[in-house]
Amino acid sequence: MILTVTLNTALDVTYTVDALVPHSSHRVGEVTERPGGKGLNVARVLGALGHDCVVTGFAGGPTGDVLRSLLAPLPPRDALVPVAGNTRRTLAITDRSTGDTTQLNEPGPQVSPAEWAAFLRTYEELVAGAQAVALCGSLPPGIHVGAYAELVRIARAAAVPVLLDTSGEPLRRGIAARPDLVKPNAEELARLTGSREPLRAARDARRRGAHSVIASLGPEGVLAVTPDGVWRAAPPAPVRGNPTGAGDSAVAGLLSALAEGLDWPERLARAVALSTATVLAPTAGDFDAAAYAELLPRVTVEPHTTTP
């Protein structure tokens, strides 16, 4: 079983319009709702890949009820912890004329100390039976900034590999707890280290405590700095589409390949193929299965000439 943690779950609402024009009224052509938050997105992809997956985090209020009802028929198993506050919504507005998406993210419910303690009990029980853990996304109000560091330490104490995918101070604190893997994008890595040169920044992140660093470079693929070597992995050609959820699909690729015992080049190829297939999918956050199968053998994975 793979465990994904989404402390700030969301109900993702997507509006599709012919053209998004500021300061004007729009007629919405299509509305979709789905359970969201980075860890839930990762779990949905893992389920599509055939992996047993459990999701935990927080859900509450009427929006949380809708989220859980939408989650119920999906492969990931629901171990979300109830909170008194209302789960946030995220609103994505997709412009058909350009293919671009504008995102509006609510902050999330206030989480009390008692609710955090209940979550920790659930998390410790689930970690004991997990092959790997992914800690994903932002922190809701009320959760202390070192929360991910605490969760990393619990997973490490249970000898369960843990991946951290967050940003800002939670990333800085979490890396110091020595996660097995972190997956920042280039901007998050630059903010963490002060360097905009990806290789230098990834090496700095390793020195800060991360065992391995997979830096997302957007359409250019990923850079991996690990104890076993340094690699660049890239799709065969640039693609246009909706990048929503592409990073979460990359996390799912890394976790699934880790659980299957694949080597680093195979892990990176899967991550890049899934990420690219998500950009190409007609529905935001899904991946195009046919595109993924076609892309996987064509992803370029090349070792760097220097040691990490």
Side-chain angles (χ1 to χ4, degrees), residues 248-295:
D248 302 329
S249 291
V251 169
L254 293 168
L255 278 178
S256 62
L258 172 65
E260 294 168 28
L262 302 183
D263 61 20
W264 273 111
E266 292 174 296
R267 295 182 201 179
L268 300 173
R270 180 176 293 185
V272 169
L274 279 170
S275 178
T276 306
T278 300
V279 175
L280 292 170
T283 302
D286 282 338
F287 73 93
D288 185 316
Y292 167 63
E294 191 272 334
L295 284 162

Side-chain angles (χ1 to χ4, degrees), residues 143-168:
I143 299 296
H144 64 95
V145 73
Y148 281 134
E150 184 175 359
L151 301 184
V152 168
R153 287 192 289 268
I154 291 170
R156 286 183 57 82
V160 177
V162 56
L163 181 152
L164 178 61
D165 185 14
T166 188
S167 60

Side-chain angles (χ1 to χ4, degrees), residues 111-122:
V111 177
S112 71
E115 290 164 342
W116 174 246
F119 167 78
L120 285 179
R121 291 192 294 271
T122 297

